[in-house]
Amino acid sequence: MTKQTVDLLLTNGYLITMDHQMSLYPRGAVAIKDNTIAGVGPAIELEAAYEAATTVDCQNCIISPGLINAHTHAAMTLLRGLADDLRLDVWLYGYMMPVEREFVNHAYCYIGTQLACAEMIRSGITTFCDMYYHEAEVARATADVGMRAVLAQTILKFPSPDATNYDESLDYCRQFIEQWLGHPLITPAVGPHAPYTATPDMLQNCVALAVEFDVPLHIHIAETALEQKNSRSEYNMTVVPWVEQCNLFQAKVIAAHCVHLETPEMDIMRHHQAGIAHCPSSNLKLASGIAQVQKLVELGLHVGIGTDGPASNNDLDMFEEVRLAAFLQKGAFGDPTALPAKTTWGLATIEGARALHIDHLTGSLEVGKRADIAVIRADQIHQLPYFARDPEAVYSRLVYATKAIDVRDVIIDGRVLMRDRVLLTMNEAEVIEEASRFATSIDAFLIAREGNILSKLLAISADFVPQETYEIQVKVALPELIDIDIILSKLGLNPYRLSVRDQYDTYFLFTDQEPSRLRFREDEVKDEQGNLKHTFYTMTLVGQTGEKEFKNSILLTRARYTASATHSLRFYREYFKPSTEQEVIKLRRRCHINFQGTDFAINLDHVSSTMPNSVYLEIKSRTWSAKDALRKADLIAELLDKLEIKTENLLKAEYINSITQE
Amino acid sequence: MTKQTVDLLLTNGYLITMDHQMSLYPRGAVAIKDNTIAGVGPAIELEAAYEAATTVDCQNCIISPGLINAHTHAAMTLLRGLADDLRLDVWLYGYMMPVEREFVNHAYCYIGTQLACAEMIRSGITTFCDMYYHEAEVARATADVGMRAVLAQTILKFPSPDATNYDESLDYCRQFIEQWLGHPLITPAVGPHAPYTATPDMLQNCVALAVEFDVPLHIHIAETALEQKNSRSEYNMTVVPWVEQCNLFQAKVIAAHCVHLETPEMDIMRHHQAGIAHCPSSNLKLASGIAQVQKLVELGLHVGIGTDGPASNNDLDMFEEVRLAAFLQKGAFGDPTALPAKTTWGLATIEGARALHIDHLTGSLEVGKRADIAVIRADQIHQLPYFARDPEAVYSRLVYATKAIDVRDVIIDGRVLMRDRVLLTMNEAEVIEEASRFATSIDAFLIAREGNILSKLLAISADFVPQETYEIQVKVALPELIDIDIILSKLGLNPYRLSVRDQYDTYFLFTDQEPSRLRFREDEVKDEQGNLKHTFYTMTLVGQTGEKEFKNSILLTRARYTASATHSLRFYREYFKPSTEQEVIKLRRRCHINFQGTDFAINLDHVSSTMPNSVYLEIKSRTWSAKDALRKADLIAELLDKLEIKTENLLKAEYINSITQE
């Protein structure tokens, strides 16, 4: 009998197939021809049957299907360790998004992805599922290295680093799919980021595109409790029924996270054969919660395991994820038999492939599938000793005691990408150098920003137009609360834009910065009966007070940048980290007057703070030039005269300074 | 100026001191003379000040205090991966304790500890805190390698692998302390295992011993919710107040786990300066729960991090523990800012030293402390790129993106134990070989045991005396439930030992074993009014039914081993893993009679199962010989005659077989 010719024979290892019977061969072999598995079985049989161009001895090693990283944002390696231990919004809106807006381009995506590929190959990963920007560059980087991947182009309802609107993203995504469809390694996909960053229309367009080309659709689902809460209040239903209503499940869905699914939502997803990517490190690190993986598995859903992006992990190590996934189910749900090692290794391989809708290609070692294989050393000190009693104890060794560093060789699509821990298809040093160059630029960008409150404010404010103005103002302490009409009648002027409001001001003070202050203001505007009409929030950067003082304590204050505050006070506090804070609460009756052709705001403030006198009259106006300021100071002096204000009642400060001085 | 002479200079690394100011030197150095740190500071200054016999360049490395593994059972490396994904009791009573009873001896403790030391040094650990048996052997193994350790001799109220009672353990512990006290590396300690395995008297003796020699006392505290529940029902208080009452805190306590502490218990421990060892992997893997570490830290308690024994982890990798500790606090308590990287690295170093009461020796890099140092590579692909913006980002790199494999050199007590990942003070290959020999013996022991239900039963039954007997019996179906007095009056005999009870029998059936059955029986014994008197549980191994059949369907059944069942039905189910189970529930009226000088049991059973006829009369007797069996069969036949039993009513089976046949 003549031997069949193959390209590669991995032999003499402990072979884990992850096939339907979960077959194990304690001394097994895999034969590979071109990119495909030609034979799987006992080493002795395969050595007799095949003549291999290359034979690799795998003694003291486990031969396993390569690991599948079911969810990541690979190129975010370039943001690894940039900002940690922060709340999700501060991390995302304060750091990730501003830096991405500034730096994400073709080169960034290519280098970031290659850095990720190097790390992933080194931890035995053969396939990953990605969602990012400029996804064609991600594809190019991945294909150049030779990894398998499902790559989803991100689509958002708002502008993103690679598009000004979602129509542009959809057009780009279509081109991307057309370009890469049918590639032996790359499965292009559509990536609407999440239900809460999509419109129904946008989602439906994404589904149509995915269905048209029969490619997967990758999306974040129910990552946080807040997402479910918002969905309930906005749509009167949880996230999964809502996206089902948008026809999402007509596509082959890969849903990342699924931390906060209710049981009926799990049933819907199972019914539609949606895949799930469980990301335990990220869910813990960002405090999103703990997904009910054991339950999902029991219900028959296909759950893979993912690292998520390296900015929320902070690495791409599937061994860490696998171990954590198994531990977390036991510890969080009080059952040490939950997610046993064999099941967990399944999630990392064949179930991951099913979740990604590519189990016809990869995920197990079976004849006809692509040769995606990790050869893992099993003789390292942290794995020993070895008990032969239970053949399935190999899974517990892999899940509980084996590390990324133990991966010796990696084969993807029949090609050896790593041999004895040396990467054969990429120049790591070059990638590291280019990555370092990006890091240096990002550092410089952030150092400049962090050293300056204005730029730090601008970095998080999409609608924030820097607009430098001056304010000319005077404050007068009044003996008691009086009606604003009395003041206006003294002036003989007609007021307009009258309003009454409660103002809650929080000032952030900085000792280590230029003498700026940030003010977060909540305005509760009342109607004539004193009922709340509406609330709005503004964030104002206040420059140095009293840049110039005119007679009668009339002050010129410079550089006020104001915009609506889109985040919470807590967000700004954690983002700006002020040295101290100061609160000023006041009831403000406000109107405008026109005095000699010039607009002035008149505020009658009842300040509920520890100030000597709690009622103040404020007259102020905006100005853009020093000359104009002088003219307006004169006009204010005239107004003070008309009101018979005594000089000793003039307050030569803003409320905040006055309080601070006490 | 002449240079000061030192033995070793580590220079040009990113130096983390963990001193009171948390000083960092981005280009720092440490000078070491003998076993002590002589200088710490900027590389340029130290290079100028010292003349070193050996200088080690640490470019691209972090120089950190060595990690402190605050709780482990090092020698249990020899049980790594032996049994996983089991419930705590099955794992402990079914596997760990039987194997330890059989194998733990001097050689086991020495080899197991050395295997652990190799792994720990490789992951940057310089100090560990241990609790095990034959602790003097653990000390010898540790000192031979050159690691620092706090080593506690285990003391239990019941027999242990190295003592028949706790007085013996206390004597041994005293000798152990006297032998090792004052050793430069070893701090001997007293190790009462846990409050629930101690008597108050035993605890007080342990405290007295620890106080006498001023050594630490290491104990497990509040590891499980059950422990707290039992303490409440037994002592009417939680664990910490109870041990406080036993004077525990007069000693320098190191309390492992502390998963289920209430706030007042935390206050008690803080008041007494007790150290805590948090073991996140073990607490998750055994589903014990999640300790409130952030809260403990906020309260000012000294918390270290431990791996626990490698049988519940399954490795001794402090980098995994540190990362998990940080992640878990965030995820489990919903706060991504909880346990930030800097704090967490502190727990693994200086706080660990404080928890172990040896912070005067180790835990930070400060002049005068012992030189316990890890040099950790910081230029690996999974750690890159590097952002220089925030100097403290070094902590996040260490905690979130650095692995055990990145540790390059380890210095303990001034001596280099690992250089470029080569261990210099031990022969790893030899240790691995000896460990493998133990594994082979343990394998053989368990294979023999697992293949035989009796031996598996014996392995977990301290009071279980194998006692082979025969039972001779007959069963008769009755048309209806009748009074047992009617039967007895027909026989004209006086009954004795009359009882009424509900019996709940669960039979474990095995398809792949010899035709044995295990019966778990719950007996609820009633008084004359039908009220529950007491409940007891028995576990019986039943051999083949109907080994011999006499006339009138009188059966001889062989080999019954019976003992009280000390574990739950659930325990036995998970431990024996039966192929199927069968339940028989019956109300049994029972008495004994003396017929012609021979004792017979008469059972009138009302079986509530799906049997054709639900009322049965059973006559049975025990026998030890076939000859005696024949004689008793004849006597039973006589009794049947007296009762005018019709042959067609005889049931030629036990209840279980009768049900199974339907």
Side-chain angles (χ1 to χ4, degrees):
Chain A
M1 187 184 123
T2 51
K3 287 186 173 186
Q4 216 182 309
T5 310
V6 291
D7 298 308
L8 182 60
L9 185 72
L10 304 175
T11 190
N12 204 18
Y14 199 111
L15 182 68
I16 296 178
T17 63
M18 304 311 282
D19 65 12
H20 281 279
Q21 296 76 42
M22 301 289 266
S23 313
L24 293 175
Y25 301 97
R27 211 184 143 264
V30 189
I32 299 156
K33 193 170 171 65
D34 296 326
N35 65 356
T36 303
I37 296 173
V40 173
I44 197 160
E45 288 179 17
L46 267 72
E47 283 173 15
Y50 296 100
E51 183 70 46
T54 308
T55 298
V56 174
D57 183 63
C58 299
Q59 193 170 17
N60 297 325
C61 290
I62 295 162
I63 304 172
S64 168
L67 294 167
I68 293 180
N69 184 356
H71 177 63
T72 190
H73 311 285
M76 290 180 86
T77 42
L78 294 184
L79 304 182
R80 189 203 315 270
L82 183 68
D84 287 304
D85 301 319
L86 300 172
R87 236 171 281 277
L88 182 63
D89 53 0
V90 181
W91 176 78
L92 188 64
Y93 300 119
Y95 290 89
M96 295 302 119
M97 283 172 50
V99 172
E100 286 185 335
R101 259 202 307 272
E102 192 72 20
F103 289 95
V104 168
N105 59 23
H106 281 197
Y108 176 103
C109 290
Y110 188 91
I111 293 302
T113 301
Q114 285 229 323
L115 190 67
C117 287
E119 189 184 351
M120 288 196 276
I121 296 166
R122 290 188 165 284
S123 90
I125 296 168
T126 51
T127 298
F128 67 100
C129 178
D130 189 77
M131 180 196 284
Y132 210 57
Y133 308 106
H134 303 295
E135 203 68 23
E137 287 306 300
V138 175
R140 206 164 61 81
T142 306
D144 284 355
V145 174
M147 282 192 84
R148 190 179 308 289
V150 175
L151 304 177
Q153 165 63 29
T154 301
I155 297 164
L156 289 160
K157 71 178 173 189
F158 42 71
S160 64
D162 62 354
T164 57
N165 58 57
Y166 74 75
D167 286 327
E168 235 177 88
S169 292
L170 279 163
D171 287 347
Y172 175 86
C173 188
R174 172 180 291 274
Q175 283 169 37
F176 164 60
I177 294 170
E178 286 172 344
Q179 184 188 351
W180 288 92
L181 202 66
H183 189 278
L185 290 167
I186 306 300
T187 303
V190 185
H193 167 264
Y196 62 90
T197 55
T199 63
D201 180 59
M202 184 197 114
L203 272 190
Q204 280 155 5
N205 281 315
C206 288
V207 171
L209 187 61
V211 169
E212 180 183 342
F213 289 99
D214 191 29
V215 296
L217 181 149
H218 191 27
I219 186 167
H220 298 90
I221 293 271
E223 182 172 1
T224 65
L226 183 67
E227 181 183 341
Q228 286 289 31
K229 192 181 155 209
N230 289 345
S231 176
R232 260 193 218 94
S233 69
E234 192 164 352
Y235 304 114
N236 205 26
M237 63 180 86
T238 52
V239 171
V240 173
W242 186 76
V243 294
E244 188 186 30
Q245 211 169 272
C246 299
N247 304 327
L248 191 82
F249 296 111
Q250 288 180 6
K252 298 186 291 189
V253 169
I254 306 162
H257 302 304
C258 297
V259 176
H260 295 276
L261 291 187
E262 295 180 354
T263 308
E265 298 186 281
M266 298 177 185
D267 291 334
I268 291 171
M269 292 186 71
R270 183 190 41 186
H271 175 73
H272 292 294
Q273 301 273 315
I276 290 175
H278 169 51
C279 304
S281 283
S282 168
N283 296 158
L284 287 181
K285 185 156 187 282
L286 302 176
S288 308
I290 299 170
Q292 298 178 68
V293 178
Q294 175 67 28
K295 184 169 177 183
L296 292 166
V297 168
E298 277 167 12
L299 287 173
L301 280 142
H302 297 306
V303 182
I305 296 176
T307 58
D308 203 353
S312 59
N313 186 303
N314 291 348
D315 54 32
L316 298 167
D317 182 338
M318 276 291 285
F319 282 85
E320 285 177 358
E321 292 308 314
V322 164
R323 184 177 196 265
L324 183 56
F327 278 4
L328 207 48
Q329 290 301 301
K330 301 173 204 299
F333 302 107
D335 179 4
T337 69
L339 226 56
K342 185 177 173 180
T343 307
T344 312
W345 197 251
L347 302 194
T349 54
I350 183 64
E351 285 297 308
R354 288 185 186 129
L356 267 48
H357 308 279
I358 55 167
D359 52 304
H360 57 292
L361 293 176
T362 191
S364 60
L365 302 184
E366 295 179 78
V367 172
K369 280 200 180 184
R370 305 293 174 82
D372 294 350
I373 304 172
V375 178
I376 305 159
R377 296 193 68 161
D379 59 352
Q380 300 299 290
I381 201 123
H382 52 268
Q383 301 167 306
L384 295 173
Y386 165 63
F387 296 97
R389 176 178 69 91
D390 177 7
E392 299 211 335
V394 68
Y395 297 111
S396 119
R397 293 180 90 188
L398 281 171
V399 173
Y400 302 130
T402 298
K403 302 173 198 295
I405 189 69
D406 302 323
V407 177
R408 191 189 74 178
D409 312 319
V410 169
I411 291 117
I412 300 177
D413 212 49
R415 185 178 176 205
V416 182
L417 267 62
M418 181 169 79
R419 180 81 184 95
D420 279 330
R421 297 206 62 75
V422 177
L423 298 192
L424 305 178
T425 60
M426 66 181 292
N427 185 333
E428 276 178 292
E430 209 173 278
V431 172
I432 288 173
E433 206 187 305
E434 291 192 52
S436 299
R437 247 178 266 136
F438 270 105
T440 306
S441 311
I442 293 170
D443 256 344
F445 167 75
L446 283 175
I447 288 166
R449 186 190 90 168
E450 301 281 304
N452 180 290
I453 293 169
L454 174 60
S455 58
K456 204 168 168 181
L457 188 58
L458 290 175
I460 53 165
S461 312
D463 67 334
F464 202 95
V465 181
Q467 185 187 29
E468 192 161 11
T469 67
Y470 293 81
E471 219 167 54
I472 184 100
Q473 60 168 318
V474 69
K475 271 195 189 60
V476 185
L478 300 183
E480 57 183 358
L481 193 56
I482 52 164
D483 203 291
I484 197 161
D485 292 339
I486 295 171
I487 294 168
L488 294 170
S489 69
K490 274 194 187 177
L491 296 174
L493 292 168
N494 288 326
Y496 58 97
R497 282 165 63 195
L498 267 149
S499 70
V500 180
R501 58 188 69 187
D502 285 329
Q503 285 184 333
Y504 301 87
D505 292 350
T506 304
Y507 287 86
F508 292 166
L509 310 177
F510 303 88
T511 53
D512 58 339
Q513 306 257 358
E514 75 268 44
S516 317
R517 297 190 302 273
L518 268 176
R519 186 185 69 204
F520 178 88
R521 169 172 288 178
E522 180 179 344
D523 264 291
E524 291 190 346
V525 182
K526 311 289 184 74
D527 64 14
E528 282 163 28
Q529 283 73 46
N531 299 318
L532 183 65
K533 272 167 69 186
H534 66 274
T535 308
F536 65 93
Y537 304 88
T538 46
M539 196 73 195
T540 304
L541 178 66
V542 187
Q544 207 173 347
T545 308
E547 159 136 332
K548 193 170 173 189
E549 192 184 336
F550 301 89
K551 63 175 179 183
N552 292 336
S553 297
I554 298 167
L555 296 176
L556 181 70
T557 300
R558 190 166 74 108
R560 303 193 75 122
Y561 299 93
T562 295
S564 62
T566 49
H567 301 288
S568 68
L569 174 59
R570 197 261 314 142
F571 170 91
Y572 293 112
R573 178 181 297 131
E574 294 181 9
Y575 177 65
F576 286 105
K577 299 195 180 75
S579 314
T580 49
E581 286 183 34
Q582 192 74 52
E583 271 201 355
V584 177
I585 302 172
K586 59 182 174 292
L587 175 70
R588 166 166 285 184
R589 290 167 189 77
R590 168 168 228 177
C591 68
H592 284 257
I593 54 164
N594 188 301
F595 180 58
Q596 301 186 10
T598 299
D599 179 86
F600 288 93
I602 307 284
N603 295 323
L604 189 66
D605 292 340
H606 186 192
V607 180
S608 55
S609 305
T610 54
M611 296 179 70
N613 193 323
S614 64
V615 183
Y616 294 88
L617 174 71
E618 196 179 61
I619 304 174
K620 53 169 73 171
S621 189
R622 289 218 174 153
T623 180
W624 281 264
S625 76
K627 197 178 155 197
D628 184 57
L630 188 61
R631 187 183 64 84
K632 286 182 175 161
D634 285 341
L635 287 174
I636 289 176
E638 271 186 57
L639 286 168
L640 290 174
D641 281 347
K642 278 180 185 269
L643 291 169
E644 300 163 351
I645 299 289
K646 294 192 183 75
T647 311
E648 69 264 30
N649 289 334
L650 291 172
L651 182 71
K652 200 167 71 179
E654 291 190 78
Y655 297 133
I656 174 72
N657 297 72
S658 171
I659 294 170
T660 312
Q661 282 156 15
E662 273 182 79
Chain B
M1 188 184 121
T2 52
K3 286 186 171 187
Q4 215 182 310
T5 310
V6 292
D7 298 308
L8 183 60
L9 185 71
L10 304 175
T11 190
N12 204 18
Y14 199 111
L15 182 67
I16 296 178
T17 64
M18 305 310 283
D19 64 12
H20 281 278
Q21 295 75 40
M22 301 291 266
S23 313
L24 293 175
Y25 301 96
R27 209 182 145 266
V30 189
I32 299 157
K33 193 170 171 66
D34 297 326
N35 65 358
T36 303
I37 296 174
V40 173
I44 198 159
E45 289 179 17
L46 269 73
E47 283 172 17
Y50 296 101
E51 183 69 48
T54 308
T55 298
V56 175
D57 183 62
C58 299
Q59 191 169 18
N60 298 324
C61 290
I62 294 161
I63 304 172
S64 169
L67 295 167
I68 293 180
N69 183 356
H71 177 62
T72 189
H73 312 284
M76 290 180 85
T77 42
L78 294 183
L79 304 181
R80 189 203 313 270
L82 184 68
D84 287 304
D85 300 320
L86 300 172
R87 234 171 282 277
L88 182 64
D89 54 358
V90 180
W91 176 78
L92 189 64
Y93 300 119
Y95 290 89
M96 295 302 118
M97 282 172 51
V99 172
E100 285 185 334
R101 258 201 308 271
E102 192 74 19
F103 289 95
V104 168
N105 58 25
H106 281 199
Y108 176 103
C109 290
Y110 189 90
I111 294 303
T113 302
Q114 286 229 324
L115 189 66
C117 287
E119 188 184 351
M120 287 195 278
I121 297 165
R122 290 188 165 285
S123 89
I125 296 167
T126 52
T127 298
F128 67 99
C129 179
D130 189 75
M131 180 196 285
Y132 210 57
Y133 308 108
H134 302 294
E135 203 68 21
E137 288 306 301
V138 175
R140 206 164 60 82
T142 306
D144 284 355
V145 173
M147 282 191 84
R148 189 179 309 287
V150 175
L151 303 177
Q153 165 64 28
T154 302
I155 297 165
L156 289 161
K157 72 178 172 189
F158 42 72
S160 66
D162 63 355
T164 57
N165 59 57
Y166 73 75
D167 286 327
E168 235 177 270
S169 292
L170 279 163
D171 287 346
Y172 175 87
C173 188
R174 172 180 291 274
Q175 282 169 39
F176 164 62
I177 294 169
E178 286 172 344
Q179 186 188 350
W180 288 91
L181 201 65
H183 189 278
L185 290 168
I186 306 300
T187 303
V190 186
H193 166 264
Y196 61 91
T197 56
T199 63
D201 181 58
M202 184 196 113
L203 272 191
Q204 280 156 6
N205 280 314
C206 287
V207 171
L209 188 61
V211 169
E212 181 183 341
F213 291 99
D214 192 28
V215 296
L217 182 150
H218 191 27
I219 186 167
H220 298 89
I221 293 271
E223 182 172 1
T224 65
L226 183 68
E227 181 182 341
Q228 287 288 31
K229 193 182 152 207
N230 289 345
S231 176
R232 262 194 218 94
S233 69
E234 193 165 351
Y235 304 114
N236 206 25
M237 64 181 87
T238 51
V239 171
V240 173
W242 186 75
V243 296
E244 188 187 29
Q245 210 169 272
C246 298
N247 305 327
L248 192 82
F249 297 111
Q250 287 180 7
K252 298 186 291 191
V253 169
I254 305 161
H257 301 303
C258 297
V259 177
H260 296 274
L261 291 186
E262 295 180 354
T263 309
E265 297 186 282
M266 298 177 186
D267 291 334
I268 292 172
M269 293 185 72
R270 183 189 41 186
H271 174 73
H272 293 293
Q273 300 274 315
I276 290 177
H278 170 51
C279 304
S281 283
S282 168
N283 296 159
L284 287 181
K285 185 157 186 281
L286 302 176
S288 307
I290 300 170
Q292 298 178 70
V293 178
Q294 175 65 31
K295 183 169 177 182
L296 292 166
V297 169
E298 277 167 12
L299 287 173
L301 279 142
H302 296 306
V303 182
I305 296 177
T307 58
D308 204 355
S312 59
N313 186 301
N314 290 350
D315 53 33
L316 298 168
D317 182 338
M318 276 291 285
F319 282 84
E320 284 177 358
E321 292 309 315
V322 165
R323 183 177 197 266
L324 182 56
F327 279 3
L328 207 47
Q329 289 303 301
K330 301 173 203 298
F333 302 106
D335 178 4
T337 69
L339 227 56
K342 185 176 174 181
T343 307
T344 311
W345 197 252
L347 302 193
T349 54
I350 183 62
E351 286 297 308
R354 289 184 186 129
L356 267 48
H357 308 277
I358 55 167
D359 51 305
H360 56 293
L361 294 177
T362 190
S364 59
L365 303 185
E366 296 180 77
V367 171
K369 281 201 181 183
R370 305 294 173 82
D372 294 350
I373 303 170
V375 179
I376 305 159
R377 296 193 68 161
D379 60 352
Q380 301 298 291
I381 201 123
H382 51 269
Q383 302 167 304
L384 295 173
Y386 164 64
F387 295 97
R389 175 179 68 92
D390 177 8
E392 299 212 334
V394 67
Y395 298 111
S396 120
R397 294 180 88 189
L398 281 171
V399 172
Y400 303 130
T402 298
K403 301 173 198 296
I405 189 69
D406 302 323
V407 178
R408 190 189 75 178
D409 312 320
V410 170
I411 291 117
I412 301 177
D413 211 51
R415 185 177 175 206
V416 182
L417 268 60
M418 183 169 78
R419 181 81 185 92
D420 280 330
R421 295 205 64 73
V422 177
L423 298 192
L424 305 177
T425 61
M426 67 181 291
N427 184 332
E428 276 178 292
E430 209 172 278
V431 172
I432 289 173
E433 204 187 305
E434 292 191 54
S436 299
R437 247 179 265 136
F438 270 105
T440 306
S441 310
I442 293 170
D443 256 343
F445 167 76
L446 283 175
I447 287 165
R449 185 190 90 166
E450 301 281 303
N452 179 291
I453 293 169
L454 176 60
S455 58
K456 205 169 168 183
L457 189 57
L458 291 175
I460 53 165
S461 312
D463 67 334
F464 201 95
V465 181
Q467 186 187 30
E468 191 160 11
T469 67
Y470 291 82
E471 217 168 57
I472 184 103
Q473 61 169 315
V474 69
K475 267 194 191 64
V476 185
L478 300 182
E480 56 183 0
L481 192 57
I482 53 165
D483 202 292
I484 198 161
D485 294 340
I486 295 171
I487 293 167
L488 294 169
S489 69
K490 272 195 186 176
L491 296 172
L493 293 169
N494 287 327
Y496 60 96
R497 283 165 63 196
L498 268 150
S499 70
V500 179
R501 58 187 69 185
D502 285 329
Q503 285 184 334
Y504 301 87
D505 293 350
T506 303
Y507 288 86
F508 291 167
L509 309 178
F510 301 90
T511 53
D512 58 339
Q513 306 258 357
E514 74 267 42
S516 318
R517 297 190 302 272
L518 268 177
R519 187 185 68 203
F520 178 88
R521 170 171 288 178
E522 180 178 345
D523 264 290
E524 291 191 346
V525 182
K526 310 290 185 74
D527 64 14
E528 280 163 31
Q529 284 73 46
N531 299 319
L532 182 65
K533 274 168 65 186
H534 65 273
T535 308
F536 65 93
Y537 304 88
T538 46
M539 196 72 193
T540 304
L541 178 66
V542 187
Q544 206 171 345
T545 309
E547 160 136 332
K548 192 170 174 188
E549 189 184 338
F550 300 90
K551 64 175 177 183
N552 291 338
S553 298
I554 297 166
L555 296 176
L556 181 71
T557 301
R558 192 166 74 107
R560 302 191 76 119
Y561 298 93
T562 295
S564 61
T566 48
H567 300 289
S568 68
L569 174 60
R570 197 262 314 140
F571 171 90
Y572 293 112
R573 179 182 294 130
E574 293 181 11
Y575 177 64
F576 286 105
K577 298 194 182 77
S579 316
T580 50
E581 286 184 34
Q582 191 75 52
E583 271 202 354
V584 177
I585 302 172
K586 57 182 176 290
L587 175 70
R588 168 166 283 186
R589 289 166 188 79
R590 169 168 227 178
C591 67
H592 285 257
I593 54 165
N594 187 301
F595 180 57
Q596 301 187 7
T598 300
D599 178 86
F600 287 94
I602 306 283
N603 295 323
L604 189 67
D605 291 340
H606 187 190
V607 181
S608 56
S609 304
T610 55
M611 296 179 69
N613 193 323
S614 65
V615 183
Y616 293 88
L617 174 72
E618 196 179 60
I619 305 174
K620 54 168 75 171
S621 187
R622 289 219 175 154
T623 180
W624 280 265
S625 77
K627 199 178 151 193
D628 183 58
L630 188 60
R631 187 183 67 80
K632 285 182 175 162
D634 284 341
L635 288 174
I636 289 176
E638 270 186 62
L639 285 168
L640 290 176
D641 280 347
K642 277 181 187 270
L643 291 170
E644 298 164 354
I645 298 291
K646 294 193 185 75
T647 311
E648 70 264 27
N649 288 336
L650 293 172
L651 183 71
K652 202 166 70 179
E654 291 190 77
Y655 297 132
I656 173 73
N657 296 74
S658 171
I659 294 169
T660 314
Q661 280 155 17
E662 271 182 79

